[in-house]
């Protein structure tokens, strides 16, 4: 029924007046809420699907994505399993609240952190998170001393980003295996450069005994797995991102990692294998950011083109790689315990705007990132290492597609302007930052105008829905 309603909006030939748009928006919002859980009163806000329903073909791709969207946009409550008895969250007067701003649980819906400018986007600083940290005393505190502070990233284009990383991982693994074969044949160590999609990750040396010397590896973990989710490179794919975030922020535990009732709150199967598949698939289906160039404003249009040239000239594109080719633009995920692969054609089945297939079957993602960790200098360093990066000042190159829509900027949201974000670049980016600072005021403005053209836009009514607790009307 919901899909039919979406279709009627798309094909309605009547003028889209403000009144009609509001009516459509309200109808979409109402249809988004599954009121079959409880007729009256309160209970779980969420229903579940099973992985077997996905594998049997009982659910269409559209139905799976819609279920994932509900998981992403609907509040979790205690009937759903929200909360964690091991992290009770104690306020300043010693009362257990169930919420802990520092270590979680800290919110009730994904949209608490991912809603700017739309559902699936980034966040303001009020929703900054503290990944990987748990206060042993469970005391909520306003002090962030000694903590890594993260501004939530947009997940728009997440399906394309994962495919790029997966193809790069395959290239890096193939090079390592080739080095091992050469070393075995030679009976001596053998070194090969690590290059994936034109990006250098240093070099790998295979020893005669079949082991690897990874001391020459740069910008990626020593297991040669690019982890494009989280600014430090913590999660390799959307599935692991979903499982980790659901537990950290809501205490909603995926059965595939925590079992039936890992937190002992009495609610079993808080997140089924099928639920995780659907939530990851929804995020993979989100639109890719795009470039918006005004047709009527000639001065702005000229500034965008000039700014892009300067962006490349001063070296920004050496890390913010403008384009990445995806050989196979079909998103794939395999659930634990099964060989079944759930797929989503990112050029056909995702929300618009979406990737376009090239004649050879590939697709080009204008991502503006090399997905590599770089040293950003002492001023941006964090107190905790968190993952096996080279230092606390190493971060994965931010993907600039959609950058105009995701401020504040930098890993902790400290930059309220794009100019500030550029000038705070240090370390490996210091030369480009200095070159930008040396530009004339007008040339700097042109670069900023180019960045302002990289936006997140919504062209699908299925994504224009409010994020409210289930069952409101």
């Amino acid at each position: 029924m919901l899909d039919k309603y979406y279709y009627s909006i798309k094909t309605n030939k009547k003028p889209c007046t403000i009144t009609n748009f509001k009516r459509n928006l309200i109808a979409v919002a109402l249809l988004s809420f599954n009121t079959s859980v409880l007729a009256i009163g309160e209970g779980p806000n969420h229903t579940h699907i099973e992985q077997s329903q996905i594998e049997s073909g009982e659910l269409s791709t559209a139905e799976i994505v819609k279920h994932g969207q509900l998981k992403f946009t609907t509040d979790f409550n205690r009937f759903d399993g929200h909360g964690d008895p091991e992290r009770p969250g104690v306020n300043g007067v010693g009362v257990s609240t169930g919420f802990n701003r520092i270590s979680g649980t800290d919110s009730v819906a994904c949209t608490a952190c991912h809603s700017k400018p739309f559902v699936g986007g980034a966040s303001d600083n009020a929703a900054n998170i503290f990944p990987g940290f748990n206060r042993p005393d469970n005391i909520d505190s306003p002090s962030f001393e000694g903590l890594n502070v993260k501004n939530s990233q947009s997940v728009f284009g997440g399906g394309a980003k994962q495919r790029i990383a997966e193809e790069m991982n395959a290239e890096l693994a193939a090079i390592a295996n080739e080095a091992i074969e050469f070393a075995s044949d030679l009976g001596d160590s053998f070194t090969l450069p690590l290059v994936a999609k034109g990006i250098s990750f240093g070099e790998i040396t295979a020893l005669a005994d079949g082991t690897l010397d990874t001391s020459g590896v740069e910008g990626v973990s020593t297991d040669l797995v690019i982890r494009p989710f989280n600014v430090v490179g913590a999660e390799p794919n959307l599935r692991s991102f979903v499982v980790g975030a659901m537990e950290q922020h809501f205490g909603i535990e995926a059965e595939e990692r925590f079992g039936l009732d890992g937190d002992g709150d009495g609610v079993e199967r808080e997140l089924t294998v099928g639920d995780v598949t659907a939530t990851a698939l929804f995020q993979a289906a989100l639109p890719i950011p795009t470039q918006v160039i005004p047709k009527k404003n000639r001065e702005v249009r000229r500034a965008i083109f000039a700014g892009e040239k300067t962006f490349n000239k001063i070296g920004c594109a050496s890390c913010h790689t403008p384009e990445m080719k995806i050989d196979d633009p079909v998103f794939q995920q395999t659930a634990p315990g099964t060989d079944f692969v759930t797929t989503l054609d990112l050029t056909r089945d995702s929300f618009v705007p979406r990737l376009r297939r090239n004649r050879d079957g590939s697709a080009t993602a204008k991502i503006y990132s090399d997905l590599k960790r770089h040293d950003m200098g002492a001023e941006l360093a964090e107190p905790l290492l968190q993952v096996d990066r080279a230092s606390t000042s190493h971060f994965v190159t931010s993907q600039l597609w959609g950058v105009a829509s995701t401020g504040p900027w930098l890993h902790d949201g400290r930059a309220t302007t794009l100019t500030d974000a550029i000038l705070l670049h240090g370390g490996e980016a210091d030369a480009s930052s200095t070159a930008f600072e040396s530009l004339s005021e007008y040339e700097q403005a042109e670069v900023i105008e180019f960045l302002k053209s990289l936006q997140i836009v919504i062209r699908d009514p299925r994504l224009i829905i409010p994020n409210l607790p289930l069952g409101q009307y």
Side-chain angles (χ1 to χ4, degrees):
M1 180 178 179
L2 188 57
D3 293 333
K4 290 181 180 178
Y5 181 79
Y6 292 152
Y7 183 78
S8 71
I9 295 178
K10 291 181 179 179
T11 58
N12 186 1
K13 295 182 180 180
K14 294 181 180 180
C16 185
T17 64
I18 295 297
T19 300
N20 287 338
F21 177 78
K22 287 182 178 178
R23 288 173 180 167
N24 289 342
L25 182 59
I26 292 170
V28 172
L30 291 176
L31 285 168
S32 299
F33 301 131
N34 184 346
T35 57
S36 64
V37 180
L38 279 179
I40 60 173
E42 290 188 300
N45 283 345
H46 289 263
T47 57
H48 301 283
I49 62 173
E50 302 296 340
Q51 183 68 20
S52 59
Q53 292 177 278
I54 296 172
E55 297 183 14
S56 68
E58 178 182 340
L59 299 174
S60 68
T61 298
E63 289 172 323
I64 300 168
V65 169
K66 184 169 67 175
H67 181 79
Q69 183 176 13
L70 288 171
K71 287 291 175 191
F72 196 92
T73 58
T74 306
D75 287 5
F76 290 94
N77 65 27
R78 62 181 175 84
F79 297 105
D80 295 305
H82 183 279
D84 183 350
E86 295 299 319
R87 294 178 289 161
V90 180
N91 66 14
V93 294
V95 176
S96 176
T97 64
F99 289 91
N100 189 314
R101 186 67 186 86
I102 303 298
S103 61
T105 57
D106 52 20
S107 54
V108 295
C110 300
T111 47
C113 293
H114 298 283
S115 59
K116 190 176 183 180
F118 304 103
V119 169
S123 73
D124 203 341
N125 281 339
N128 279 359
I129 62 173
F130 312 90
F133 180 83
N134 285 289
R135 291 179 60 91
D137 54 10
N138 290 304
I139 302 297
D140 198 1
S141 168
S143 174
F144 302 153
E145 183 180 358
L147 303 181
N148 288 352
V149 182
K150 296 290 193 301
N151 186 252
S152 298
Q153 291 185 305
S154 162
V155 289
F156 279 87
K161 182 164 68 171
Q162 179 172 321
R163 287 300 300 134
I164 293 170
E166 288 170 340
E167 291 184 354
M168 295 176 81
N169 291 339
E171 289 187 53
L172 295 177
I175 294 170
N177 288 333
E178 185 179 5
I180 291 173
E181 291 178 5
F182 274 117
S184 176
D185 292 341
L186 293 172
D188 198 359
S189 61
F190 190 82
T191 301
L192 285 175
L194 282 169
V195 180
K197 292 192 182 295
I199 308 301
S200 173
F201 291 90
E203 61 184 25
I204 190 82
T205 298
L207 305 180
D209 62 2
T211 58
L212 290 171
D213 176 0
T214 58
S215 59
V217 175
E218 301 173 354
V220 65
S221 298
T222 54
D223 61 2
L224 306 184
V225 175
I226 295 169
R227 294 170 171 82
F229 299 99
N230 187 294
V231 292
V232 297
E235 300 292 352
N237 53 57
L238 285 170
R239 189 174 197 96
S240 64
F241 172 69
V242 167
V243 171
M246 287 282 190
E247 191 278 333
Q248 170 74 16
H249 300 299
F250 318 131
I252 296 295
E253 298 192 331
E255 63 177 344
E256 64 193 57
R257 181 180 295 180
F258 301 100
L260 290 179
D261 185 14
D263 56 8
D265 62 1
V267 180
E268 296 184 352
R269 308 190 71 216
E270 296 172 349
L271 203 64
T272 68
V273 176
D275 291 337
V276 177
T277 297
T279 309
L281 204 66
F282 163 68
Q283 293 178 63
L286 285 169
I288 59 168
T290 188
Q291 186 172 34
V292 178
I293 301 176
K295 295 180 179 180
K296 296 183 180 180
N297 193 322
R298 182 177 299 178
E299 181 182 2
V300 172
R301 191 165 63 247
R302 188 210 61 77
I304 290 172
F305 296 140
E308 183 175 12
K309 290 181 180 179
T310 304
F311 177 88
N312 295 329
K313 180 181 177 182
I314 63 177
C316 299
S318 62
C319 296
H320 293 287
T321 306
E323 295 182 350
M324 286 281 196
K325 181 181 178 182
I326 305 175
D327 296 323
D328 181 10
V330 176
F331 177 81
Q332 305 173 49
Q333 65 167 319
T334 303
T338 177
D339 294 328
F340 183 85
V341 180
T342 305
T343 63
L344 182 84
D345 189 333
L346 298 173
T347 67
R348 186 187 64 188
D349 299 326
S350 58
F351 297 105
V352 291
R354 59 171 72 109
L355 294 173
R356 294 182 179 180
R357 276 194 184 268
N358 301 320
R359 290 186 176 182
D360 62 358
S362 66
T364 302
K366 297 184 177 181
I367 192 170
Y368 291 94
S369 173
D370 57 8
L371 300 186
K372 178 181 177 179
R373 293 186 188 125
H374 292 277
D375 178 15
M376 294 295 291
E379 192 166 354
L380 294 181
E382 298 183 301
L384 304 176
L385 191 61
Q386 190 180 344
V387 296
D388 62 339
R389 47 182 171 161
S391 76
T392 60
S393 61
H394 276 73
F395 300 91
V396 176
T397 304
S398 293
Q399 302 87 53
L400 294 185
W401 60 355
V403 67
S405 306
T406 57
W409 296 276
L410 296 179
H411 69 279
D412 54 6
R414 74 177 67 180
T416 60
T417 69
L418 288 166
T419 299
D420 291 342
I422 295 171
L423 294 177
L424 282 166
H425 280 50
E428 296 176 49
D430 185 66
S432 295
S433 178
T434 301
F436 174 81
E437 191 173 15
S438 300
L439 296 173
S440 69
E441 186 176 345
Y442 193 80
E443 288 174 320
Q444 289 184 4
E446 289 176 330
V447 173
I448 299 302
E449 207 61 43
F450 160 62
L451 295 176
K452 285 168 58 180
S453 73
L454 305 178
Q455 301 177 16
I456 295 172
V457 298
I458 295 295
R459 297 172 184 163
D460 194 313
R462 288 173 290 183
L463 293 176
I464 309 175
I465 62 172
N467 44 301
L468 297 170
L470 192 68
Q472 289 195 4
Y473 54 89

